[in-house]
């Protein structure tokens, strides 16, 4: 017997001893409500489709492209902010929470969007940005001149040493996320107001019950319009500590410049316990609305880059319910291009180990604040990652363009729009800007990728659009990211993916595999070689997998096709290949 055969024999013996770990036992109630097994598709309205040729996407543009969501198999979408805003921070600076910005259209356009979407079976979620208003908001104008009742709508403080005007400094060292002091002086009140973001975005004072009520009323306004829920922005930053003490230096402050946000440890301006309590109150608003008005569940999804313990509190505290789900960003923040299979498994396990019982998991790969998946994790791995998040138990979130494997666009400092980067020094732009992941959707090979007829679009269209666009990827017979995505969304409707359990195992350093299993239904195995070399693995850790397996779905660059039969004990996976198989 040759050494090679011995090695193979030994490896096989070893493998037959390993058993994949069950990390989720499945749930018989996983699909008893519409949102529990949905893919939420994030539309960034500025960049989706421009209907009026001004270079900026709009609501009528979205309406004209809703069929794309249907084609992809999407049944729920959330729109980044479309509210009235001077646009200092891409619509996250809102001057009227109850109105649509004319850049995007009118209230009638939104009504139509909601109606058309509902007719097509698509739920519509709006962004809710309660962390601050625009300084153009009437409330701020009234607060600035101390109109009765509005004095404390925002966070006003006397300067440090305010009795010595020749020596006036901000109330404390708190910093804006975009760098420098978070305090802006207003002579009219001889006071500073607090802003976690730009100076044009004063923070609301949620310790004022009137503000709390105002914001609940805002939710009701949109519920009356027929929206199906809200994505709540920047949950970390609603409340600040009432003592207004200086924040300490960050542990790694030496890596930052003193004017950079990460220079300080934000123990008094983020993750205050009152933030969570606020989510619970908003849940009460949407639940009561449903009780009174009927209809299906209006969902709340929350956005926060907090630690896992805090994130899990978003779901509720055992007595009261909170968000239907807080976005799971750990797949974004804790994976890198060269993560091993075990690194990724740890990220997946972390969520399940902490998930309070009766709640639903979710997986987010990308959004408007992070480099695109194809850029961050490799375009060659884009299908593998789309498959991973779509086939895990629970909810998946797709950022527009991920279904065609869009990569970051190229944007220069001169063309830049993101205030986080544009208000900072030019030399930091490439590192800090979020413009790259916000470039227009690549519909086809015509001018501006079919996004707009304008001479100049708000951000430049990626030069890749001629080789990567939806039209090319939709052609019959081509293997493409989009065709993989369509097949995936069909596949995940199978009972096994909805109710089945999850068994997971690293089969090689860069080969991750899991099965989804459900009594009386087909078992499916997903195998993803995210590494850059081909390797042979065995599915023997999965007891329900048979000697030969049939390919159900393969990544666009895989040489395997649906129907191919493969030996599960000696499965050669090409670099970056991802496949779904089922036992014979
Ligand atoms: C799954 O169920 C088995 C048997 O009831 C139990 O022993 C195991 O702890 C469960 N695992 C998880 C991750 O819930
Ligand atoms: C305060 O500002 C509001 C909004 O600009 C204005 O309508 C109001 O007249 C002002 N009140 C005073 C006392 O200046
Ligand atoms: C406050 O002002 C007084 C003079 O009025 C000065 O002695 C003191 O140093 C100032 N403190 C700070 C921290 O600026
Ligand atoms: C859960 O939160 C509610 C509302 O804030 C509070 O009244 C209740 O005491 C909390 N329960 C637990 C177990 O912490
Ligand atoms: C292959 O992957 C390894 C680990 O991720 C990385 O260090 C190496 O640079 C890659 N090689 C190529 C040619 O991409
Ligand atoms: C697919 O494979 C071809 C040929 O090896 C390669 O040129 C191309 O970059 C690959 N594309 C992706 C998305 O991996
Ligand atoms: C677009 O550019 C062309 C050629 O420079 C010019 O004639 C036309 O007026 C421009 N159109 C708009 C809408 O700016
Ligand atoms: C698949 O599982 C579902 C849910 O447990 C069950 O209702 C159904 O009967 C199963 N299908 C088959 C073919 O047994
Ligand atoms: C698996 O496939 C091989 C090759 O086609 C075949 O020889 C073998 O009999 C199959 N095994 C089973 C259990 O069907
Ligand atoms: C987490 C976060 O930063 N969320 C948003 C809160 O508001 C700011 C400023 O408007 C946005 O830039 C953020 O995306």
């Amino acid at each position: 017997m040759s050494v090679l055969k011995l090695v193979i024999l030994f490896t096989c013996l070893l493998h037959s001893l390993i058993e994949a770990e069950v990390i989720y036992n499945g749930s018989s109630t996983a699909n008893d409500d519409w949102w529990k097994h949905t893919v939420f598709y994030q539309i960034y309205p500025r960049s989706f489709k421009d209907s009026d040729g001004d270079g900026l996407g709009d609501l009528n543009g979205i309406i004209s492209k809703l069929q794309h969501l249907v084609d992809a198999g999407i049944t729920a979408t959330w729109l980044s902010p479309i509210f009235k805003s001077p646009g200092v921070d891409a619509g996250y600076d809102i001057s009227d929470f109850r109105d649509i910005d004319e850049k995007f259209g009118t209230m009638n356009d939104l009504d139509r969007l909601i109606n058309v979407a509902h007719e097509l079976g698509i739920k519509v979620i709006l962004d809710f940005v309660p962390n601050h208003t625009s300084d153009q908001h009437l409330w701020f104008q009234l607060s600035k001149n101390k109109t009765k009742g509005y004095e404390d709508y925002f966070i006003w403080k006397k300067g440090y040493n305010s009795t010595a005007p020749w020596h006036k400094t901000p109330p404390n060292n708190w910093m804006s996320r975009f760098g420098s002091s978070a305090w802006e002086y207003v002579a009219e009140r001889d006071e500073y107001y607090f802003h976690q973001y730009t100076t044009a975005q004063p923070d609301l004072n949620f310790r004022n019950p009137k503000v709390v009520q105002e914001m609940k009323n805002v939710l009701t306004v949109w519920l009356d319009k027929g929206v199906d829920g809200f994505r709540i922005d920047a949950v970390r930053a609603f409340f600040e500590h009432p003592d207004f003490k200086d924040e300490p230096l960050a542990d790694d402050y030496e890596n930052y410049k003193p004017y950079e946000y990460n220079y300080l440890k934000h123990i008094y301006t983020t993750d205050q316990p009152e933030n969570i309590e606020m989510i619970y109150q908003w849940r009460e608003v949407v639940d009561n609305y449903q009780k009174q008005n009927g209809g299906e569940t209006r969902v709340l999804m929350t956005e926060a880059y907090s630690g896992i313990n805090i994130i899990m509190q978003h779901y509720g505290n055992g007595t009261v319910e909170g968000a239907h789900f807080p976005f799971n960003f750990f797949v974004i923040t804790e994976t890198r291009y060269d993560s091993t299979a075990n690194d990724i498994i740890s990220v997946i396990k972390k969520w399940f180990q902490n998930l309070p019982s009766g709640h639903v998991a979710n997986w987010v790969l990308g959004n408007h604040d992070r480099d695109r998946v194809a850029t961050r994790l490799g375009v060659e791995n884009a299908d593998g990652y789309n498959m991973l998040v779509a086939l895990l138990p629970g909810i998946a979130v797709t950022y527009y363009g991920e279904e065609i494997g869009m990569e970051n666009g190229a944007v220069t400092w001169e063309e830049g729009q993101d205030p986080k980067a544009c208000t900072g020094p030019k030399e930091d732009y490439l590192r800090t800007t979020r413009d790259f992941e916000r470039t227009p959707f690549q519909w086809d090979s015509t001018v501006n990728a079919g996004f707009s007829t304008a001479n100049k679009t708000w951000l430049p269209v990626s030069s890749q659009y001629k080789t990567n666009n939806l039209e090319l990827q939709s052609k019959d017979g081509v293997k493409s990211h989009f065709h993989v995505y369509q097949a995936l969304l069909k596949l995940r409707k199978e009972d096994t993916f909805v109710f089945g359990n999850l068994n997971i195992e690293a089969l090689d350093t860069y080969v991750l595999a899991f099965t989804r299993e459900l009594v009386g239904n087909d078992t499916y195995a997903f195998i993803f070689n995210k590494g850059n070399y081909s390797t042979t693995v065995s599915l023997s850790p999965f007891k329900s997998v048979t000697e030969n397996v049939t390919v159900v779905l393969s990544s666009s660059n895989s040489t395997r096709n649906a129907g191919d039969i493969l030996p599960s004990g000696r499965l050669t996976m090409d670099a970056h290949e991802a496949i779904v198989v089922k036992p014979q």
Side-chain angles (χ1 to χ4, degrees), residues 47-107:
S47 283
F48 202 58
K49 172 71 184 169
D50 170 20
S51 72
D52 58 6
D54 65 355
L56 194 83
D58 47 46
L59 295 177
N60 283 326
I62 295 172
I63 296 170
S64 73
K65 291 295 187 184
L66 284 173
Q67 187 58 40
H68 167 57
L69 274 57
V70 176
D71 295 345
I74 295 288
T75 52
T77 182
W78 70 273
L79 311 182
S80 293
I82 49 172
F83 310 107
K84 200 169 271 307
S85 158
V88 172
D89 185 22
Y92 278 98
D93 50 321
I94 294 173
S95 53
D96 187 348
F97 290 104
R98 296 158 177 254
D99 205 357
I100 304 292
D101 198 290
E102 56 263 27
K103 285 193 282 293
F104 297 117
T106 62
M107 198 59 102

Side-chain angles (χ1 to χ4, degrees), residues 141-186:
Q141 300 305 319
L142 296 172
S143 195
K144 224 163 118 176
N145 66 14
K146 288 199 172 173
T147 300
K148 201 166 160 36
Y150 291 90
E151 301 95 325
D152 299 324
Y153 263 49
F154 296 85
I155 299 164
W156 294 100
K157 289 288 279 181
K158 287 276 176 228
Y160 189 68
N161 243 357
S162 62
T163 51
W166 58 89
H167 202 123
K168 202 181 300 287
T169 57
N172 60 26
N173 74 348
W174 293 358
M175 280 172 74
S176 149
R177 276 160 197 263
F178 297 159
S180 304
S181 176
W183 295 99
E184 184 74 3
Y185 181 70
V186 172

Side-chain angles (χ1 to χ4, degrees), residues 15-28:
H15 265 290
S16 65
L17 298 175
I18 297 171
E19 216 174 308
E21 195 179 351
V22 183
I23 63 172
Y24 171 73
N25 266 336
S27 160
S28 57

Side-chain angles (χ1 to χ4, degrees), residues 15-20 515 517 539-546:
H15 265 290
S16 65
L17 298 175
I18 297 171
E19 216 174 308
T515 58
E517 302 178 13
L539 297 182
S540 63
F542 301 102
K543 295 305 160 209
S544 54
V545 171
T546 51

